[in-house]
Amino acid sequence: MDASSEGLTGEMTTRSDSGPMGEELQMPDKDAKAMMGTEDTPGGKASPNPQNLRPSVFHSIKFFVLCHSLLQLAQLMISGYLKSSISTVEKRFGLSSQTSGLLAAFNEVGNTALIVFVSYFGSRVHRPRLIGCGAILAALAGILMTVPHFISEPYRYDHTSPADMSQDFEASLCLPSNKALSSASSNSSCSSYTEARHLAVVGIMFTAQTLLGVGGVPIQPFGISYIDDFSHNSNSPLYLGVLFAVTMMGPGMAYGLGSLMLRLYVDIDRMPEGGINLTSKDPRWVGAWWLGFLISAGAVALAAIPYFFFPKEMPKEKQELRFRRKGLEVSDLPVSKGEDSSSEQSPADSPEKKDNLAQIAPDLTVIQFIKVFPRVLLRTLRHPIFLLVVLSQVCMSSMAAGMATFLPKFLERQFSITASYANLLIGCLTIPLAIVGIVVGGILVKRLRLGPLHCGTLCLLGALCCLILSTPLFFMGCSSHQVAGISHQPGAQPGLELFPGCMESCSCPSDDFNPVCDSSTRVEYITPCHAGCTSRVVQEVPDKSQVLYNNCSCVAGGGPVSAGSCDSACSHLVLPFMILVSLGAALASVTHTPSFMLILRGVKKEDKTLAVGIQFMLMRVLAWMPSPVIHGSAIDTTCVYWAQSCGRRAVCRYYDHDLLRNRFIGLQFFFKTGSLACFALILAILRQQDKEERTKATKPNPGLQQQLLASEAKKEPEESRV
C-alpha cells in the first residue's frame, strides 16, 4: 500500500512543482500575507509559527485530510446508490435494463467530459472552494434524483383506484365485471399527459445523473493535489493511504443504505388509509429508493461546508509524524536544498515566465493544449507495457462496472431473494473482500519489493485465479419454473394445454400483474384471473397472514393457490455463489496496485502525470460508460415476458434463468479472459526486456556513456520546448 502511495505521491509532486507550491516559493510575501489575512493572526510572516496556526483548524492539513475523507466517502455513497436500487427504479418507472444501464453510465458522461480540463487548470483556482461547489452541485443532483417520486402519482401495484380498497380484493379475480373495469382503467391510464410525464421523469433522472458526475469532477484530483502540496513529503503517502482507505468504504455503505431503504414501501410518505397488501417478498414490491438519495445528498452537503473556510494555500507542513523523528532533519535538508537550488537556478526566469503565462489568454492555452494532446496521447499509447496494462484494467473495470450495476438484480431473479437481502450480501461480502484484495496487493508489492517482472507475475496469477473461481458460477443456478401461457418447457403437464380455454369466461386485464403459485405443480400464473380463480381467502398465521385463492378452473383440483411468485428451487445456493463472487473480486483487486506500479515504473518520469490521466480517462470511456449498457442489453435479450405500458415495452416480468445466468456470467468471463491475456502478454514482454538487459550487462560497452550524454544533450532542447 505504501509503495503505491509513494508512486502516486511522486506523480503528484512532479505535477505540483509548477502549481501552488512553486508560486508560494517564488512569491512568498504576497501569498503569505494574503494567507495570513484570511487567518486573522498577527505578524504577517511568510512562514508563520505552528503556535500561531493552532487557533485556526482550517490551516491544518490533517483536518483537511479528515474532511476530504468524509466528503469522498459521502460522494461515492451517493454516486453508487443508484446501483443498489436499479431493479426497483426499473419496476417503479417501467424501464428496461438497457435504459437503466444507460442511466447508470450517465454519471460517467459528465465526469469524463470535464476531467481533463479540470486537471489542466487546477493550479489557477481556489481548490477548496471549487471542491465545495462541486460537492454542493452533487448534493443538488441527488435531491433532483428524488423529484420523479414527488411528481409521480402514488404507486399502484394493481389497476384499481387506491381510494376504493374494497376493489383490491376482487381486482384480479375471474369475474365478468372485470371486462368493463379493465377497459376503463386502461383508457384512463393511457393519455398524452401520462406519456409526457413519463418522458419528463426519465429526462430528470438522466439530467440528475449527469450533474452528479459533473459535481464529482473537482473532488478527487483537487483534494489529492492539495494534500500533496501542503503536507510534509514523508507524511503525504500516509495521508493519501488514509484517504483511500476511508473512501473505499463508500460503495459498501451505498449498498448497505440501499438494503435499509428498500425494506420501506415506496410511498411511505403518502400511504393509503387502508394500508397495503404487499410484503417485501412480493414481486410487485417497490422500496423507498428515493429516500436513500435524500440521505446521501444531506451527507454530501454537510461534508461540503468546511471547504468554504479552507485557504487557497496553507503553510507546508513542517514536522514529520512521530514514527521517525531522527530522520526529520535529514529528510528535510535535501528537499529544502533542492527547492532552494531550483529557485536559485533561475531567479529571474521563473517569475518572468509566470507573468507571461498570466498575460496569455486562457483560450489560447486551451487551443495549444488541444493541439498537443493527441500527439502526446499517441506517443504514450505506443508504449507496449502501458497500452497492455490499460487494456487489462479496462477489462477488469468493465467486469466490475457490470457486476456492481446488475448483480443485485441478477441475485433477485436467479435465487428469488429480496432486493434488500441482495444489497446486504454485496455490501457485507463483496465490497469488503475487494478492499482487502487492494490492501493485500499493496502489501505484497511493498514487503516483497516487487519489480516490474514480479508485479506482472502477481497480476497474471491474480487474474488466473479469478477466472478459475468464476467457472463454477455457470452451474450454480436452476431453470425457470413454469409460467402458464408464457414458457413451455419439454415435459410440461398436459393440464396446461387448457390455457386459455379454462379462463374463457374471465375477462382478465392484459397488463395486470399479480402472480400466484400452485405449489403442488410449481406452476405460476400471471394473475389469479389467469388461473381462473373466483374467490380469495386470507389465512392468518402466527407471524403473518397468507393470501390464498380458491375455485381455480385452470388448476388441478381447483386450488388453492398462494399469492406471490414460486420460490426458486436453488435459493440455498445464493451464499456459495456470493462467496465465490466475493473471492473472485478479492483476487481481481489484488492486481490493482501492481498493475498501477507497472505504469508508474514503465513510463518516463516526465510522462507519469499524463500517463495516469490517460489511464483513468480510457477506463471511463471504454469501461465505466459502455459496460452497464452492454450488460443491460444482454439481460434484456433473456426476457420472455415484457409488461406493456400504453402500447410500449416497459419492465421485464419474467426471464429465462438459464439464459440469464449464461449471458451475465459469460460476459464477466469474457472480460476476465481479456484481462488474463493482456497480463500474459505483459509478462512475456517484461521477460524479453529482462533477458535483453542481462545480455547487455554481460557485454559492457565502453563508449555507451558518451553516447548517452550526447543523446541527452540533443534531447534537452526538444523537452524544454514541450
Side-chain angles (χ1 to χ4, degrees), residues 538-559:
V538 179
Q539 185 177 5
E540 295 295 336
V541 187
D543 55 342
K544 61 179 180 179
S545 60
Q546 186 177 5
V547 180
L548 300 174
Y549 294 91
N550 297 319
N551 302 325
C552 305
S553 58
C554 297
V555 178

Side-chain angles (χ1 to χ4, degrees), residues 11-12 16-17 30 63 159 208 236 239 278 291 307 487 495 584:
E11 175 259 320
M12 292 298 179
S16 61
D17 287 342
K30 183 175 73 173
F63 184 64
H159 292 274
S236 181
Y239 292 155
L278 287 182
L291 198 54
Y307 286 88
S487 56

Side-chain angles (χ1 to χ4, degrees), residues 227-546:
I227 292 171
D228 190 64
D229 284 349
F230 303 117
S231 62
H232 191 279
N233 293 340
S234 300
N235 296 341
S236 181
L238 176 63
Y239 292 155
L240 294 177
V242 171
L243 175 66
F244 294 146
V246 175
T247 299
M248 284 188 294
M249 294 188 292
M253 292 185 64
Y255 284 105
L257 182 63
S259 176
L260 293 175
M261 295 300 105
L262 296 184
R263 294 180 184 178
L264 306 174
Y265 186 62
V266 61
D267 290 324
I268 192 173
D269 57 329
R270 45 186 178 182
M271 292 284 285
E273 293 181 3
I276 57 172
N277 300 314
L278 287 182
T279 64
S280 59
K281 292 185 178 180
D282 195 295
R284 298 172 295 167
W285 174 269
V286 172
W289 61 272
W290 54 274
L291 198 54
F293 279 108
L294 281 182
I295 295 174
S296 302
V300 172
L302 287 177
I305 294 174
Y307 286 88
F308 295 98
F309 300 96
F310 282 107
K312 182 178 181 180
E313 297 179 5
M314 66 171 65
K316 187 171 177 67
E317 195 178 28
K318 298 295 181 183
Q319 292 185 352
E320 188 177 1
L321 295 181
R322 296 180 181 178
F323 322 125
R324 300 177 305 191
R325 259 187 178 172
K326 292 183 179 180
L328 177 62
E329 297 177 1
V330 179
S331 62
D332 279 349
L333 279 174
V335 175
S336 59
K337 187 175 179 180
E339 288 172 355
D340 292 339
S341 61
S342 64
S343 60
E344 286 172 4
Q345 285 176 2
S346 56
D349 294 344
S350 295
E352 193 174 310
K353 288 180 181 178
K354 285 191 173 292
D355 291 339
N356 290 337
L357 284 174
Q359 293 172 1
I360 294 177
D363 293 339
L364 183 60
T365 308
V366 173
I367 293 172
Q368 290 177 345
F369 176 69
I370 293 175
K371 285 182 179 179
V372 172
F373 183 75
R375 278 187 298 162
V376 181
L377 175 63
L378 291 176
R379 186 188 70 186
T380 308
L381 291 178
R382 279 197 213 109
H383 197 289
I385 299 295
F386 174 80
L387 181 60
L388 288 172
V389 170
V390 169
L391 287 178
S392 67
Q393 290 185 341
V394 164
C395 291
M396 282 292 184
S397 298
S398 298
M399 179 266 295
M403 186 75 76
T405 306
F406 289 108
L407 182 59
K409 179 175 181 175
F410 177 83
L411 296 177
E412 292 174 47
R413 297 292 183 170
Q414 192 69 222
F415 301 106
S416 298
I417 63 175
T418 64
S420 175
Y421 185 48
N423 286 321
L424 185 65
L425 289 175
I426 297 173
C428 293
L429 278 177
T430 310
I431 301 296
L433 282 179
I435 295 173
V436 169
I438 294 176
V439 174
V440 168
I443 291 175
L444 290 176
V445 173
K446 168 79 173 174
R447 292 293 177 88
L448 302 180
R449 298 181 179 180
L450 301 180
L453 184 61
H454 292 95
C455 282
T457 305
L458 179 60
C459 291
L460 183 66
L461 290 176
L464 179 61
C465 294
C466 178
L467 189 67
I468 292 173
L469 280 179
S470 65
T471 304
L473 300 180
F474 285 101
F475 311 101
M476 299 181 69
C478 51
S479 302
S480 306
H481 53 262
Q482 180 72 29
V483 181
I486 295 177
S487 56
H488 295 279
Q489 299 174 349
Q493 294 190 2
L496 294 175
E497 300 301 325
L498 297 175
F499 184 91
C502 58
M503 44 157 288
E504 282 184 351
S505 60
C506 310
S507 301
C508 302
S510 59
D511 54 350
D512 197 5
F513 182 66
N514 180 18
V516 293
C517 177
D518 181 7
S519 56
S520 60
T521 58
R522 290 190 54 78
V523 176
E524 184 171 327
Y525 300 86
I526 301 175
T527 66
C529 182
H530 289 79
C533 303
T534 59
S535 63
R536 177 182 183 274
V537 177
V538 179
Q539 185 177 5
E540 295 295 336
V541 187
D543 55 342
K544 61 179 180 179
S545 60
Q546 186 177 5

